[in-house]
Amino acid sequence: MPAGLVALALGGFGIGLTEFVIAGLLPQVSRGLAVSEVAAGWLISGYALTVAVGAIAVTAATARLPRKPVLVGLVVLFVIGNLLSAVAPNYPVMLLGRVVAALCHGTFFGLGSLVARRLVPPERASRAVAVMFAGLTVSNVLGVPFGALVGERWGWRATFWAITGIGVIAAAAIATLVPYWAGEVPAGGRAGKVPAGDRTDSLRAQVSAFRSTQVWLTLAATALGYGGMFGAFSYLAYTFTEVTGFSSTDVAWLLVVYGAGLVAGNMAGGRGADHNRDLTLIVSLAGLTATLIAFGLLASSPAASVVLVFLTGVFGFASVPGMITRVTDHAHGVPLAAGANVSASNIGNALGAWLGGLAISAGLGYTAPLYVGAGIVLLGLAVMTYAAVRQAHARETHSSPNSARSPDRKASM
């Protein structure tokens, strides 16, 4: 495994910790800064909203710069944000620290996925992306318990000091271990795919990538797949305690089981996508739909719930490496498309959580978000299936001896 991939995974681990760790610290932060639980909650939602916007804005602003220095700079920004959170004398400074840290999130994973792909042969591209995202999935497993443990022993500020230290190590690792050539901006993109003289960082190439129907279909499938999973995940604690009968102290280890599923699904999905990407994506979304439905039906069974929450993580993250390589391939490697994929996932997360909350508010019970999530993922499955069929048809038409090129250029992009 290239050392540069390990360095990128370490960066992803630190950024993932920043996103997830706050959930276990909210009560302490709320008391320490003398703010309400609702205000403290904005440290989570404000982060997510900043990721959604920053993934596009920061990626567009840095598109013409060499990617390795940008990645190092993003991790430095991450360090500054967490340092602000660690020393925050009041709530506004704490929120500012969260926003600053979030600005690096989407662009880091977007650009990082492009750099990771260049460190391995083309046939291992999705697996390389999966390795980079392994840091994020591991942080999902460790984030809440890590934050709770450190915060309980040494206070919530110590958690952010620890994450700041991880960021410093990650920045040094990326600067040292990621080869500069892997972060160079390609000129001309893939042969025959970008107009002569056009660079993948130019404004023309950035915008023209979004003329592809396949790019939009992949972004839609990403948003719906993430949205369905997150709509269910957001209320799992209530499902476990109010339906399954677990105690509130059991929720932490149950979420670790879910996180272990994310890790397994991420690696399996990367390997599968390198073998047959569209089939892997369709199977992942179909598996997630079936799992969420089964979870809703069997939520009263503790044993079934443990198995199904693991499978939710497996199928929920198995599509991530393939979705990223798919959207960047159809966008000819432009960074803005990679950033848009991260934005799409965060928009989906917000949509899924909102719809799941509406279902509970309507009195449909704490299993309702599971069925709502299944419905959202089913829409994503339909979009992905349509995209795969459309692409297969375009390839057949393009390879036909009676046709020199596909009549639907958008579908083949």
Side-chain angles (χ1 to χ4, degrees):
M1 180 187 300
L5 281 180
V6 178
L8 292 172
L10 180 60
F13 175 72
I15 293 173
L17 274 182
T18 298
E19 179 178 15
F20 301 121
V21 78
I22 191 67
L25 297 175
L26 276 188
Q28 294 180 47
V29 173
S30 176
R31 291 191 300 268
L33 298 178
V35 296
S36 68
E37 292 84 353
V38 175
W42 271 100
L43 298 175
I44 296 177
S45 53
Y47 185 98
L49 289 172
T50 304
V51 171
V53 175
I56 298 294
V58 177
T59 301
T62 59
R64 297 186 69 87
L65 302 177
R67 291 167 186 169
K68 178 179 176 176
V70 171
L71 287 172
V72 174
L74 290 171
V75 180
V76 170
L77 188 66
F78 158 82
V79 169
I80 293 171
N82 282 284
L83 185 60
L84 281 173
S85 295
V87 303
N90 51 47
Y91 175 76
V93 176
M94 179 70 177
L95 183 59
L96 175 63
R98 294 290 290 169
V99 169
V100 170
L103 284 173
C104 77
H105 186 121
T107 304
F108 178 86
F109 284 109
L111 288 183
S113 66
L114 296 176
V115 173
R117 296 185 61 170
R118 299 192 68 189
L119 294 173
V120 298
E123 63 273 13
R124 297 179 61 89
S126 293
R127 272 173 281 188
V129 171
V131 170
M132 190 197 75
F133 271 83
L136 178 64
T137 57
V138 171
S139 71
N140 198 306
V141 178
L142 301 179
V144 174
F146 170 82
L149 176 64
V150 175
E152 188 67 30
R153 289 200 172 188
W154 299 288
W156 62 268
R157 293 182 187 276
T159 302
F160 288 99
W161 278 112
I163 296 174
T164 299
I166 292 172
V168 171
I169 295 171
I174 293 171
T176 304
L177 300 177
V178 175
Y180 192 87
W181 57 261
E184 291 177 345
V185 180
R190 292 183 297 163
K193 290 296 183 180
V194 178
D198 205 12
R199 290 169 56 90
T200 61
D201 63 326
S202 72
L203 179 61
R204 178 185 175 189
Q206 295 284 322
V207 174
S208 66
F210 289 90
R211 296 175 184 170
S212 167
T213 303
Q214 288 291 341
V215 167
W216 287 106
L217 289 172
T218 308
L219 291 176
T222 295
L224 292 168
Y226 264 93
M229 178 180 69
F230 203 80
F233 171 76
S234 299
Y235 304 96
L236 277 181
Y238 295 102
T239 305
F240 286 139
T241 56
E242 302 299 325
V243 180
T244 313
F246 284 111
S247 68
S248 57
T249 57
D250 289 323
V251 172
W253 69 262
L254 288 165
L255 293 181
V256 170
V257 172
Y258 167 78
L262 295 180
V263 175
N266 175 57
M267 300 309 295
R271 182 174 294 275
D274 281 333
H275 178 68
N276 188 323
R277 186 167 58 198
D278 283 359
L279 178 61
T280 297
L281 294 176
I282 289 171
V283 169
S284 300
L285 294 173
L288 181 57
T289 302
T291 298
L292 292 177
I293 293 172
F295 204 161
L297 294 173
L298 302 173
S300 59
S301 167
S305 294
V306 172
V307 173
L308 290 166
V309 76
F310 176 77
L311 292 178
T312 298
V314 170
F315 288 116
F317 224 81
S319 63
V320 171
M323 288 293 189
I324 292 175
T325 56
R326 192 178 202 278
V327 77
T328 51
D329 278 351
H330 287 292
H332 318 311
V334 300
L336 194 59
N341 192 75
V342 178
S343 290
S345 64
N346 278 269
I347 292 170
N349 290 352
L351 174 66
W354 176 63
L355 291 176
L358 285 181
I360 292 175
S361 299
L364 299 178
Y366 290 113
T367 59
L370 294 166
Y371 295 118
V372 170
I376 297 172
V377 178
L378 185 61
L379 289 175
L381 173 61
V383 171
M384 188 62 241
T385 302
Y386 172 72
V389 170
R390 183 183 175 102
Q391 180 173 314
H393 175 71
R395 284 175 175 168
E396 290 176 2
T397 305
H398 184 75
S399 61
S400 170
N402 297 323
S403 175
R405 58 175 294 178
S406 170
D408 184 357
R409 184 175 182 268
K410 290 184 179 180
S412 62
M413 292 174 68

